[in-house]
Amino acid sequence: MQKKVIRVMIIEDHDATAYLIKKAFGQRGVRVNWDLSFAGDGEDALDYLFRRAKHENAVRPDIVLLDWNLPKVSGHEVLRALKTSDELRTLPVLVFSSSQDNE
């Protein structure tokens, strides 16, 4: 039986966190082939998702993992752009965040 391919875009600006996420998707025993793409900031992510600039031939993901705290364009702004787009509003987005702030 051929494994299903699920395209996941990971939008994360910290290399160590992106590495851990990539490693988690590589765990054995999963019945899915993960096709992972990465963006290190909100601006590049939007260019990829809307197929602009160097990403004009990008394959759209099936799901997005979105860090809330991003440089250039925040995770909040990325989410707003996706959810107000007729073309991308149904794209599932999982938001995550980490913070050193105790509050």
Side-chain angles (χ1 to χ4, degrees), residues 30-91:
V30 178
R31 297 178 188 241
V32 172
N33 279 335
W34 302 105
D35 179 15
L36 306 179
S37 57
F38 291 86
D41 61 65
E43 182 177 79
D44 190 45
L46 288 174
D47 285 347
Y48 184 98
L49 291 163
F50 285 97
R51 297 178 176 154
R52 300 186 295 227
K54 67 181 181 180
H55 300 295
E56 66 183 61
N57 296 316
V59 177
R60 290 252 168 78
D62 299 308
I63 189 167
V64 172
L65 297 181
L66 174 64
D67 181 8
W68 200 244
N69 300 309
L70 293 169
K72 296 186 181 179
V73 176
S74 73
H76 182 261
E77 293 170 291
V78 170
L79 185 62
R80 182 178 336 165
L82 295 176
K83 295 307 171 185
T84 58
S85 164
D86 290 337
E87 192 175 3
L88 296 173
R89 75 174 44 162
T90 61
L91 179 63

Side-chain angles (χ1 to χ4, degrees), residues 3-27:
K3 290 183 179 182
K4 180 177 175 149
V5 175
I6 298 178
R7 292 177 194 88
V8 181
M9 178 166 204
I10 300 162
I11 308 169
E12 168 59 54
D13 62 319
H14 290 101
D15 290 340
T17 303
Y19 171 79
L20 290 174
I21 293 170
K22 182 178 180 179
K23 193 160 177 72
F25 276 100
Q27 297 296 315

